[in-house]
Amino acid sequence: MPGLSIDIIPGYARMIQPKATSPSQFRFFNLLQSIPAQCLGLALFFWIYHKLLINWMRNLSINLGAVTFHSHVVPLYAQPQTNFSLWILPALIVLTGILLFCRKLFLQKTVKLSRLFIIAIACFLAIGISVAQIDGYREIDDEQLPAFLESYTRTGNEYYGDVPKVNEIGPITFLRDYAKPEVFTKLSGHGQTHPPGGALFLWIISKIFGYNLLSASLASICFTSLTVIPIALLARDLHGESVGRYALALFLITPNFVMFTTTSMDGPFSVFPIVSVYLFYKALRTHAILYAILTGIALGFGMLMTYATVFIGVFFGSVALLTLIVNREQFKHQLKVILIAAGVFAAFYLLMFLLTGFNFFEVLWAAVKKDERGMGTGYESIGRYFHLSIANLFAFLIGIGIPMTTVWIRQIVRTIRHTRSGEAIDTYVIGYLIALLGITFSTLFTMEVERIWIFMIPFIVIPVAKYLHDRCEQQKSLADFYWVAGLLCAQLVWFEVTQYTYW
């Protein structure tokens, strides 16, 4: 009826009015939206996946690379093993101290960034060694050795065992004949599936400090600790100094980086790929050709250490593709930087070939064939390809820390929402997501990526630092940061206590 107000129809008015949310329902909804609750949910998801993967591997009678369902905590390349003793106390003291002084040292600008780097390097060494020593001492060849030295004693598998060969025939001959049977067949297991950079690095260390386990291990840890600098500077250049400080604090307690850089050569391997990403963005920001040249050189050294450096090229390509879609003028400059870096990278290996006879393609092919004989190609069947790819992704995400993964996913969702609302796309975040998915399903990697992919840490840590910084500023509270940091420390200690990771 014209002019009739619904106010005179009480039943209808009550029907269309939204129901009030009770305080208890509101609190429950907020709880589900909290970071701790979502971390718990993601942990439950990964636990269910772990159980399902065991059944799938058993029913399909397949192994995923070196990961077997009957002896490993799939999808991780780790055996269940409890190492609980008084050696846990140094790690707990160091990590507690980091959390207690984190606000004053890292989050506030009371310490200059240059001094903070020195503090961060000291913290990196203290955290890494104390966590590795949770395992105490190992009896190896009737000798008690600190746990963080154990991996270097496996000379049949590790690059440390190749150092005498380099010393015997000389570094030039070692490079020239690396893929030839007289050298290749006498290399360690990892030496045959990786480029010669690892052995050469340890050989240089042996010339300076002598050929012994302690100098090899400590030099590797100290060299790896330098990564704190490019990570903080990259975060600062992308989002400001405050985010750089958050990123630095989170980086120091990222589980897989702490666990594996102290006990394996994947620590030194991560340095040049991380530096190359910083130099790439420095070149984009400053328009200086020098940084593009240095990017190519860093990639050259990175590829000499690990073939996984190829991922950095995939990431650069993803960023350029996104930029082409949204900003063609900026794409022209990016393309220029990429072409210069690629040219310098090619010149790097051409020069090596001319000076030493090192044939990159010959060495790469020998490594690929050796790896396929041990691990398979990854696409023998659709089932193995699918499970291998998904397991690669989940192993990495578990390794970087469930709290870190939780917030990273939040930042991805936030980035997509901002882009849909008309804001400029964050090519760093979305470019990495595209590159990660591409490399995950590429069959180039056969598990163990929680260790092999540790050079990808900046792609996770910096977006997480950005999210937590913005959230803490908005809420005028550091609660979410400390939830994430505390849970990362808890996962780090828990994994070290309950798993034997070989490294």
Side-chain angles (χ1 to χ4, degrees), residues 264-310:
S264 78
M265 280 297 292
D266 287 283
F269 289 175
S270 70
V271 175
F272 291 111
I274 290 174
V275 168
S276 70
V277 177
Y278 164 69
L279 292 170
F280 174 72
Y281 277 92
K282 191 77 171 178
L284 295 182
R285 189 171 64 88
T286 63
H287 291 254
I289 294 178
L290 174 61
Y291 290 112
I293 294 172
L294 292 176
T295 300
I297 294 173
L299 288 172
F301 278 110
M303 191 66 81
L304 192 62
M305 302 285 263
T306 173
Y307 296 122
T309 304
V310 69

mmCIF file of all heavy atoms in Angstrom, residues 264-310:
data_model
loop_
_atom_site.group_PDB
_atom_site.id
_atom_site.type_symbol
_atom_site.label_atom_id
_atom_site.label_comp_id
_atom_site.label_asym_id
_atom_site.label_seq_id
_atom_site.Cartn_x
_atom_site.Cartn_y
_atom_site.Cartn_z
ATOM 1 N N SER A 264 75.687 -27.272 7.424
ATOM 2 C CA SER A 264 75.819 -27.708 6.031
ATOM 3 C C SER A 264 76.339 -26.584 5.161
ATOM 4 O O SER A 264 76.319 -25.419 5.552
ATOM 5 C CB SER A 264 74.467 -28.190 5.479
ATOM 6 O OG SER A 264 73.647 -27.084 5.146
ATOM 7 N N MET A 265 76.780 -26.931 3.970
ATOM 8 C CA MET A 265 77.284 -25.931 3.025
ATOM 9 C C MET A 265 76.165 -25.159 2.345
ATOM 10 O O MET A 265 76.431 -24.216 1.596
ATOM 11 C CB MET A 265 78.150 -26.625 1.974
ATOM 12 C CG MET A 265 79.558 -26.941 2.449
ATOM 13 S SD MET A 265 80.502 -25.441 2.832
ATOM 14 C CE MET A 265 80.671 -24.754 1.188
ATOM 15 N N ASP A 266 74.921 -25.524 2.598
ATOM 16 C CA ASP A 266 73.827 -24.749 2.019
ATOM 17 C C ASP A 266 73.785 -23.346 2.598
ATOM 18 O O ASP A 266 73.178 -22.452 2.007
ATOM 19 C CB ASP A 266 72.495 -25.457 2.257
ATOM 20 C CG ASP A 266 72.344 -26.680 1.378
ATOM 21 O OD1 ASP A 266 72.059 -26.510 0.184
ATOM 22 O OD2 ASP A 266 72.545 -27.801 1.873
ATOM 23 N N GLY A 267 74.419 -23.130 3.742
ATOM 24 C CA GLY A 267 74.549 -21.787 4.281
ATOM 25 C C GLY A 267 75.379 -20.893 3.378
ATOM 26 O O GLY A 267 74.887 -19.876 2.870
ATOM 27 N N PRO A 268 76.651 -21.252 3.139
ATOM 28 C CA PRO A 268 77.444 -20.468 2.186
ATOM 29 C C PRO A 268 76.831 -20.390 0.794
ATOM 30 O O PRO A 268 76.962 -19.376 0.111
ATOM 31 C CB PRO A 268 78.782 -21.227 2.159
ATOM 32 C CG PRO A 268 78.884 -21.878 3.496
ATOM 33 C CD PRO A 268 77.469 -22.261 3.837
ATOM 34 N N PHE A 269 76.141 -21.457 0.373
ATOM 35 C CA PHE A 269 75.510 -21.448 -0.945
ATOM 36 C C PHE A 269 74.443 -20.354 -1.053
ATOM 37 O O PHE A 269 74.155 -19.865 -2.143
ATOM 38 C CB PHE A 269 74.832 -22.797 -1.232
ATOM 39 C CG PHE A 269 75.793 -23.926 -1.475
ATOM 40 C CD1 PHE A 269 75.326 -25.222 -1.636
ATOM 41 C CD2 PHE A 269 77.164 -23.718 -1.533
ATOM 42 C CE1 PHE A 269 76.184 -26.271 -1.868
ATOM 43 C CE2 PHE A 269 78.049 -24.769 -1.754
ATOM 44 C CZ PHE A 269 77.554 -26.048 -1.920
ATOM 45 N N SER A 270 73.831 -19.983 0.060
ATOM 46 C CA SER A 270 72.722 -19.022 0.035
ATOM 47 C C SER A 270 73.193 -17.582 -0.094
ATOM 48 O O SER A 270 72.391 -16.704 -0.448
ATOM 49 C CB SER A 270 71.884 -19.169 1.307
ATOM 50 O OG SER A 270 72.606 -18.708 2.444
ATOM 51 N N VAL A 271 74.452 -17.315 0.169
ATOM 52 C CA VAL A 271 74.923 -15.932 0.258
ATOM 53 C C VAL A 271 74.777 -15.202 -1.074
ATOM 54 O O VAL A 271 74.161 -14.122 -1.151
ATOM 55 C CB VAL A 271 76.386 -15.877 0.736
ATOM 56 C CG1 VAL A 271 76.909 -14.437 0.707
ATOM 57 C CG2 VAL A 271 76.490 -16.446 2.154
ATOM 58 N N PHE A 272 75.334 -15.745 -2.140
ATOM 59 C CA PHE A 272 75.335 -15.034 -3.419
ATOM 60 C C PHE A 272 73.937 -14.892 -4.039
ATOM 61 O O PHE A 272 73.623 -13.825 -4.591
ATOM 62 C CB PHE A 272 76.301 -15.696 -4.395
ATOM 63 C CG PHE A 272 77.738 -15.524 -4.011
ATOM 64 C CD1 PHE A 272 78.505 -16.600 -3.583
ATOM 65 C CD2 PHE A 272 78.348 -14.270 -4.054
ATOM 66 C CE1 PHE A 272 79.833 -16.440 -3.213
ATOM 67 C CE2 PHE A 272 79.682 -14.093 -3.695
ATOM 68 C CZ PHE A 272 80.417 -15.180 -3.264
ATOM 69 N N PRO A 273 73.064 -15.920 -3.981
ATOM 70 C CA PRO A 273 71.704 -15.696 -4.479
ATOM 71 C C PRO A 273 70.978 -14.573 -3.739
ATOM 72 O O PRO A 273 70.279 -13.758 -4.362
ATOM 73 C CB PRO A 273 71.021 -17.055 -4.255
ATOM 74 C CG PRO A 273 72.131 -18.040 -4.308
ATOM 75 C CD PRO A 273 73.298 -17.345 -3.676
ATOM 76 N N ILE A 274 71.130 -14.509 -2.419
ATOM 77 C CA ILE A 274 70.479 -13.453 -1.644
ATOM 78 C C ILE A 274 71.068 -12.092 -2.003
ATOM 79 O O ILE A 274 70.336 -11.107 -2.191
ATOM 80 C CB ILE A 274 70.623 -13.729 -0.131
ATOM 81 C CG1 ILE A 274 69.770 -14.942 0.257
ATOM 82 C CG2 ILE A 274 70.218 -12.511 0.694
ATOM 83 C CD1 ILE A 274 69.943 -15.395 1.692
ATOM 84 N N VAL A 275 72.385 -12.027 -2.140
ATOM 85 C CA VAL A 275 73.041 -10.767 -2.522
ATOM 86 C C VAL A 275 72.567 -10.321 -3.906
ATOM 87 O O VAL A 275 72.350 -9.128 -4.146
ATOM 88 C CB VAL A 275 74.568 -10.930 -2.501
ATOM 89 C CG1 VAL A 275 75.259 -9.741 -3.165
ATOM 90 C CG2 VAL A 275 75.062 -11.066 -1.061
ATOM 91 N N SER A 276 72.385 -11.266 -4.819
ATOM 92 C CA SER A 276 71.974 -10.910 -6.187
ATOM 93 C C SER A 276 70.590 -10.263 -6.200
ATOM 94 O O SER A 276 70.339 -9.349 -6.994
ATOM 95 C CB SER A 276 71.992 -12.149 -7.094
ATOM 96 O OG SER A 276 70.952 -13.052 -6.760
ATOM 97 N N VAL A 277 69.680 -10.727 -5.342
ATOM 98 C CA VAL A 277 68.345 -10.125 -5.278
ATOM 99 C C VAL A 277 68.437 -8.689 -4.771
ATOM 100 O O VAL A 277 67.788 -7.773 -5.298
ATOM 101 C CB VAL A 277 67.409 -10.961 -4.382
ATOM 102 C CG1 VAL A 277 66.042 -10.295 -4.267
ATOM 103 C CG2 VAL A 277 67.248 -12.365 -4.943
ATOM 104 N N TYR A 278 69.249 -8.480 -3.741
ATOM 105 C CA TYR A 278 69.440 -7.113 -3.229
ATOM 106 C C TYR A 278 70.022 -6.207 -4.306
ATOM 107 O O TYR A 278 69.543 -5.079 -4.514
ATOM 108 C CB TYR A 278 70.360 -7.136 -2.008
ATOM 109 C CG TYR A 278 70.902 -5.766 -1.664
ATOM 110 C CD1 TYR A 278 70.066 -4.764 -1.168
ATOM 111 C CD2 TYR A 278 72.257 -5.464 -1.858
ATOM 112 C CE1 TYR A 278 70.561 -3.498 -0.873
ATOM 113 C CE2 TYR A 278 72.756 -4.202 -1.557
ATOM 114 C CZ TYR A 278 71.904 -3.224 -1.071
ATOM 115 O OH TYR A 278 72.389 -1.977 -0.786
ATOM 116 N N LEU A 279 71.037 -6.677 -5.024
ATOM 117 C CA LEU A 279 71.671 -5.870 -6.069
ATOM 118 C C LEU A 279 70.712 -5.576 -7.216
ATOM 119 O O LEU A 279 70.728 -4.481 -7.795
ATOM 120 C CB LEU A 279 72.919 -6.583 -6.588
ATOM 121 C CG LEU A 279 74.086 -6.697 -5.606
ATOM 122 C CD1 LEU A 279 75.166 -7.627 -6.156
ATOM 123 C CD2 LEU A 279 74.686 -5.324 -5.306
ATOM 124 N N PHE A 280 69.867 -6.553 -7.543
ATOM 125 C CA PHE A 280 68.879 -6.362 -8.608
ATOM 126 C C PHE A 280 67.935 -5.207 -8.268
ATOM 127 O O PHE A 280 67.704 -4.310 -9.101
ATOM 128 C CB PHE A 280 68.088 -7.656 -8.802
ATOM 129 C CG PHE A 280 66.949 -7.559 -9.775
ATOM 130 C CD1 PHE A 280 67.173 -7.453 -11.129
ATOM 131 C CD2 PHE A 280 65.628 -7.575 -9.317
ATOM 132 C CE1 PHE A 280 66.116 -7.365 -12.035
ATOM 133 C CE2 PHE A 280 64.565 -7.493 -10.199
ATOM 134 C CZ PHE A 280 64.813 -7.385 -11.559
ATOM 135 N N TYR A 281 67.408 -5.212 -7.060
ATOM 136 C CA TYR A 281 66.493 -4.128 -6.668
ATOM 137 C C TYR A 281 67.236 -2.816 -6.463
ATOM 138 O O TYR A 281 66.652 -1.738 -6.671
ATOM 139 C CB TYR A 281 65.712 -4.533 -5.418
ATOM 140 C CG TYR A 281 64.513 -5.373 -5.766
ATOM 141 C CD1 TYR A 281 64.594 -6.751 -5.789
ATOM 142 C CD2 TYR A 281 63.312 -4.776 -6.132
ATOM 143 C CE1 TYR A 281 63.504 -7.531 -6.146
ATOM 144 C CE2 TYR A 281 62.212 -5.545 -6.487
ATOM 145 C CZ TYR A 281 62.310 -6.913 -6.499
ATOM 146 O OH TYR A 281 61.228 -7.684 -6.874
ATOM 147 N N LYS A 282 68.502 -2.887 -6.097
ATOM 148 C CA LYS A 282 69.306 -1.669 -6.013
ATOM 149 C C LYS A 282 69.477 -1.074 -7.402
ATOM 150 O O LYS A 282 69.400 0.154 -7.585
ATOM 151 C CB LYS A 282 70.673 -2.004 -5.404
ATOM 152 C CG LYS A 282 71.497 -0.787 -5.014
ATOM 153 C CD LYS A 282 71.011 -0.165 -3.727
ATOM 154 C CE LYS A 282 71.974 0.902 -3.236
ATOM 155 N NZ LYS A 282 71.488 1.547 -1.995
ATOM 156 N N ALA A 283 69.689 -1.920 -8.389
ATOM 157 C CA ALA A 283 69.832 -1.447 -9.764
ATOM 158 C C ALA A 283 68.527 -0.831 -10.267
ATOM 159 O O ALA A 283 68.540 0.187 -10.974
ATOM 160 C CB ALA A 283 70.260 -2.598 -10.674
ATOM 161 N N LEU A 284 67.406 -1.435 -9.908
ATOM 162 C CA LEU A 284 66.116 -0.890 -10.323
ATOM 163 C C LEU A 284 65.848 0.468 -9.680
ATOM 164 O O LEU A 284 65.299 1.374 -10.316
ATOM 165 C CB LEU A 284 64.988 -1.856 -9.955
ATOM 166 C CG LEU A 284 64.973 -3.221 -10.643
ATOM 167 C CD1 LEU A 284 63.765 -4.019 -10.196
ATOM 168 C CD2 LEU A 284 64.979 -3.078 -12.158
ATOM 169 N N ARG A 285 66.244 0.613 -8.432
ATOM 170 C CA ARG A 285 65.940 1.846 -7.694
ATOM 171 C C ARG A 285 66.866 2.989 -8.070
ATOM 172 O O ARG A 285 66.439 4.139 -8.166
ATOM 173 C CB ARG A 285 66.035 1.572 -6.189
ATOM 174 C CG ARG A 285 65.535 2.706 -5.309
ATOM 175 C CD ARG A 285 65.454 2.275 -3.863
ATOM 176 N NE ARG A 285 66.759 1.963 -3.326
ATOM 177 C CZ ARG A 285 67.571 2.866 -2.763
ATOM 178 N NH1 ARG A 285 67.217 4.136 -2.694
ATOM 179 N NH2 ARG A 285 68.737 2.506 -2.279
ATOM 180 N N THR A 286 68.153 2.692 -8.295
ATOM 181 C CA THR A 286 69.136 3.756 -8.528
ATOM 182 C C THR A 286 69.403 4.019 -10.003
ATOM 183 O O THR A 286 70.025 5.023 -10.346
ATOM 184 C CB THR A 286 70.462 3.401 -7.850
ATOM 185 O OG1 THR A 286 70.994 2.201 -8.449
ATOM 186 C CG2 THR A 286 70.282 3.190 -6.355
ATOM 187 N N HIS A 287 68.987 3.091 -10.882
ATOM 188 C CA HIS A 287 69.251 3.194 -12.322
ATOM 189 C C HIS A 287 70.762 3.208 -12.603
ATOM 190 O O HIS A 287 71.205 3.755 -13.614
ATOM 191 C CB HIS A 287 68.610 4.456 -12.912
ATOM 192 C CG HIS A 287 67.120 4.400 -12.949
ATOM 193 N ND1 HIS A 287 66.416 4.216 -14.112
ATOM 194 C CD2 HIS A 287 66.197 4.485 -11.960
ATOM 195 C CE1 HIS A 287 65.114 4.203 -13.842
ATOM 196 N NE2 HIS A 287 64.964 4.362 -12.545
ATOM 197 N N ALA A 288 71.530 2.597 -11.701
ATOM 198 C CA ALA A 288 72.988 2.532 -11.876
ATOM 199 C C ALA A 288 73.370 1.215 -12.548
ATOM 200 O O ALA A 288 73.021 0.132 -12.061
ATOM 201 C CB ALA A 288 73.690 2.672 -10.530
ATOM 202 N N ILE A 289 74.078 1.298 -13.661
ATOM 203 C CA ILE A 289 74.481 0.099 -14.406
ATOM 204 C C ILE A 289 75.402 -0.783 -13.561
ATOM 205 O O ILE A 289 75.396 -2.007 -13.695
ATOM 206 C CB ILE A 289 75.165 0.505 -15.729
ATOM 207 C CG1 ILE A 289 74.146 1.186 -16.648
ATOM 208 C CG2 ILE A 289 75.769 -0.711 -16.425
ATOM 209 C CD1 ILE A 289 74.728 1.664 -17.963
ATOM 210 N N LEU A 290 76.183 -0.153 -12.681
ATOM 211 C CA LEU A 290 77.119 -0.907 -11.852
ATOM 212 C C LEU A 290 76.411 -2.009 -11.075
ATOM 213 O O LEU A 290 76.904 -3.140 -10.992
ATOM 214 C CB LEU A 290 77.834 0.028 -10.880
ATOM 215 C CG LEU A 290 78.756 -0.646 -9.848
ATOM 216 C CD1 LEU A 290 79.881 -1.399 -10.548
ATOM 217 C CD2 LEU A 290 79.289 0.378 -8.853
ATOM 218 N N TYR A 291 75.236 -1.698 -10.516
ATOM 219 C CA TYR A 291 74.516 -2.704 -9.726
ATOM 220 C C TYR A 291 73.981 -3.826 -10.605
ATOM 221 O O TYR A 291 73.880 -4.976 -10.159
ATOM 222 C CB TYR A 291 73.393 -2.044 -8.936
ATOM 223 C CG TYR A 291 73.890 -1.175 -7.807
ATOM 224 C CD1 TYR A 291 73.738 0.208 -7.847
ATOM 225 C CD2 TYR A 291 74.538 -1.731 -6.709
ATOM 226 C CE1 TYR A 291 74.214 1.013 -6.813
ATOM 227 C CE2 TYR A 291 75.011 -0.937 -5.666
ATOM 228 C CZ TYR A 291 74.846 0.437 -5.739
ATOM 229 O OH TYR A 291 75.313 1.223 -4.710
ATOM 230 N N ALA A 292 73.633 -3.527 -11.840
ATOM 231 C CA ALA A 292 73.215 -4.586 -12.765
ATOM 232 C C ALA A 292 74.380 -5.514 -13.075
ATOM 233 O O ALA A 292 74.223 -6.738 -13.141
ATOM 234 C CB ALA A 292 72.670 -3.962 -14.047
ATOM 235 N N ILE A 293 75.570 -4.923 -13.256
ATOM 236 C CA ILE A 293 76.777 -5.723 -13.497
ATOM 237 C C ILE A 293 77.082 -6.600 -12.289
ATOM 238 O O ILE A 293 77.382 -7.803 -12.424
ATOM 239 C CB ILE A 293 77.970 -4.805 -13.830
ATOM 240 C CG1 ILE A 293 77.735 -4.090 -15.160
ATOM 241 C CG2 ILE A 293 79.270 -5.594 -13.864
ATOM 242 C CD1 ILE A 293 78.766 -3.012 -15.470
ATOM 243 N N LEU A 294 76.995 -6.009 -11.098
ATOM 244 C CA LEU A 294 77.267 -6.766 -9.873
ATOM 245 C C LEU A 294 76.232 -7.873 -9.671
ATOM 246 O O LEU A 294 76.555 -8.937 -9.128
ATOM 247 C CB LEU A 294 77.273 -5.827 -8.672
ATOM 248 C CG LEU A 294 78.434 -4.827 -8.610
ATOM 249 C CD1 LEU A 294 78.264 -3.878 -7.426
ATOM 250 C CD2 LEU A 294 79.776 -5.558 -8.515
ATOM 251 N N THR A 295 75.004 -7.638 -10.120
ATOM 252 C CA THR A 295 73.983 -8.685 -10.050
ATOM 253 C C THR A 295 74.405 -9.898 -10.858
ATOM 254 O O THR A 295 74.290 -11.044 -10.400
ATOM 255 C CB THR A 295 72.628 -8.160 -10.572
ATOM 256 O OG1 THR A 295 72.217 -7.049 -9.780
ATOM 257 C CG2 THR A 295 71.561 -9.240 -10.510
ATOM 258 N N GLY A 296 74.904 -9.665 -12.071
ATOM 259 C CA GLY A 296 75.365 -10.765 -12.917
ATOM 260 C C GLY A 296 76.534 -11.510 -12.302
ATOM 261 O O GLY A 296 76.612 -12.744 -12.366
ATOM 262 N N ILE A 297 77.458 -10.767 -11.677
ATOM 263 C CA ILE A 297 78.612 -11.405 -11.032
ATOM 264 C C ILE A 297 78.160 -12.259 -9.846
ATOM 265 O O ILE A 297 78.632 -13.392 -9.657
ATOM 266 C CB ILE A 297 79.624 -10.338 -10.579
ATOM 267 C CG1 ILE A 297 80.227 -9.635 -11.798
ATOM 268 C CG2 ILE A 297 80.732 -10.955 -9.734
ATOM 269 C CD1 ILE A 297 81.117 -8.455 -11.459
ATOM 270 N N ALA A 298 77.239 -11.714 -9.036
ATOM 271 C CA ALA A 298 76.726 -12.470 -7.889
ATOM 272 C C ALA A 298 76.021 -13.749 -8.342
ATOM 273 O O ALA A 298 76.184 -14.814 -7.726
ATOM 274 C CB ALA A 298 75.765 -11.596 -7.079
ATOM 275 N N LEU A 299 75.267 -13.653 -9.437
ATOM 276 C CA LEU A 299 74.614 -14.849 -9.976
ATOM 277 C C LEU A 299 75.637 -15.862 -10.476
ATOM 278 O O LEU A 299 75.451 -17.072 -10.334
ATOM 279 C CB LEU A 299 73.665 -14.464 -11.102
ATOM 280 C CG LEU A 299 72.375 -13.747 -10.693
ATOM 281 C CD1 LEU A 299 71.626 -13.259 -11.926
ATOM 282 C CD2 LEU A 299 71.482 -14.655 -9.860
ATOM 283 N N GLY A 300 76.720 -15.356 -11.057
ATOM 284 C CA GLY A 300 77.773 -16.251 -11.522
ATOM 285 C C GLY A 300 78.390 -17.039 -10.385
ATOM 286 O O GLY A 300 78.551 -18.269 -10.462
ATOM 287 N N PHE A 301 78.740 -16.353 -9.293
ATOM 288 C CA PHE A 301 79.298 -17.049 -8.124
ATOM 289 C C PHE A 301 78.252 -17.960 -7.483
ATOM 290 O O PHE A 301 78.587 -19.048 -7.004
ATOM 291 C CB PHE A 301 79.817 -16.034 -7.100
ATOM 292 C CG PHE A 301 81.185 -15.510 -7.417
ATOM 293 C CD1 PHE A 301 81.360 -14.201 -7.825
ATOM 294 C CD2 PHE A 301 82.310 -16.328 -7.314
ATOM 295 C CE1 PHE A 301 82.627 -13.706 -8.123
ATOM 296 C CE2 PHE A 301 83.576 -15.847 -7.609
ATOM 297 C CZ PHE A 301 83.743 -14.535 -8.018
ATOM 298 N N GLY A 302 76.988 -17.500 -7.478
ATOM 299 C CA GLY A 302 75.928 -18.324 -6.913
ATOM 300 C C GLY A 302 75.777 -19.641 -7.658
ATOM 301 O O GLY A 302 75.655 -20.701 -7.050
ATOM 302 N N MET A 303 75.791 -19.579 -8.998
ATOM 303 C CA MET A 303 75.655 -20.789 -9.800
ATOM 304 C C MET A 303 76.877 -21.689 -9.676
ATOM 305 O O MET A 303 76.789 -22.910 -9.861
ATOM 306 C CB MET A 303 75.421 -20.413 -11.264
ATOM 307 C CG MET A 303 75.002 -21.588 -12.142
ATOM 308 S SD MET A 303 73.377 -22.252 -11.713
ATOM 309 C CE MET A 303 72.313 -21.075 -12.545
ATOM 310 N N LEU A 304 78.020 -21.114 -9.350
ATOM 311 C CA LEU A 304 79.226 -21.920 -9.134
ATOM 312 C C LEU A 304 79.121 -22.711 -7.838
ATOM 313 O O LEU A 304 79.804 -23.709 -7.666
ATOM 314 C CB LEU A 304 80.456 -21.016 -9.098
ATOM 315 C CG LEU A 304 81.828 -21.703 -9.171
ATOM 316 C CD1 LEU A 304 81.995 -22.459 -10.487
ATOM 317 C CD2 LEU A 304 82.940 -20.672 -9.002
ATOM 318 N N MET A 305 78.232 -22.240 -6.925
ATOM 319 C CA MET A 305 78.049 -22.926 -5.647
ATOM 320 C C MET A 305 76.883 -23.914 -5.685
ATOM 321 O O MET A 305 76.971 -25.011 -5.145
ATOM 322 C CB MET A 305 77.802 -21.891 -4.542
ATOM 323 C CG MET A 305 78.901 -20.862 -4.357
ATOM 324 S SD MET A 305 80.348 -21.530 -3.525
ATOM 325 C CE MET A 305 80.037 -20.999 -1.845
ATOM 326 N N THR A 306 75.768 -23.503 -6.309
ATOM 327 C CA THR A 306 74.588 -24.369 -6.351
ATOM 328 C C THR A 306 73.766 -24.089 -7.601
ATOM 329 O O THR A 306 73.523 -22.925 -7.945
ATOM 330 C CB THR A 306 73.706 -24.186 -5.101
ATOM 331 O OG1 THR A 306 72.487 -24.926 -5.283
ATOM 332 C CG2 THR A 306 73.372 -22.727 -4.851
ATOM 333 N N TYR A 307 73.321 -25.154 -8.255
ATOM 334 C CA TYR A 307 72.481 -25.004 -9.445
ATOM 335 C C TYR A 307 71.113 -24.430 -9.097
ATOM 336 O O TYR A 307 70.402 -23.932 -9.985
ATOM 337 C CB TYR A 307 72.300 -26.353 -10.136
ATOM 338 C CG TYR A 307 73.592 -26.924 -10.681
ATOM 339 C CD1 TYR A 307 74.049 -28.179 -10.271
ATOM 340 C CD2 TYR A 307 74.360 -26.220 -11.595
ATOM 341 C CE1 TYR A 307 75.231 -28.712 -10.771
ATOM 342 C CE2 TYR A 307 75.549 -26.742 -12.099
ATOM 343 C CZ TYR A 307 75.983 -27.987 -11.677
ATOM 344 O OH TYR A 307 77.152 -28.499 -12.166
ATOM 345 N N ALA A 308 70.734 -24.476 -7.815
ATOM 346 C CA ALA A 308 69.447 -23.933 -7.398
ATOM 347 C C ALA A 308 69.365 -22.430 -7.635
ATOM 348 O O ALA A 308 68.271 -21.863 -7.613
ATOM 349 C CB ALA A 308 69.200 -24.234 -5.921
ATOM 350 N N THR A 309 70.500 -21.787 -7.899
ATOM 351 C CA THR A 309 70.509 -20.358 -8.205
ATOM 352 C C THR A 309 69.649 -20.043 -9.413
ATOM 353 O O THR A 309 69.236 -18.888 -9.605
ATOM 354 C CB THR A 309 71.960 -19.877 -8.445
ATOM 355 O OG1 THR A 309 72.749 -20.207 -7.285
ATOM 356 C CG2 THR A 309 72.036 -18.378 -8.666
ATOM 357 N N VAL A 310 69.338 -21.037 -10.219
ATOM 358 C CA VAL A 310 68.482 -20.826 -11.391
ATOM 359 C C VAL A 310 67.147 -20.210 -10.981
ATOM 360 O O VAL A 310 66.517 -19.486 -11.770
ATOM 361 C CB VAL A 310 68.260 -22.155 -12.148
ATOM 362 C CG1 VAL A 310 67.405 -23.113 -11.335
ATOM 363 C CG2 VAL A 310 67.615 -21.905 -13.501
#
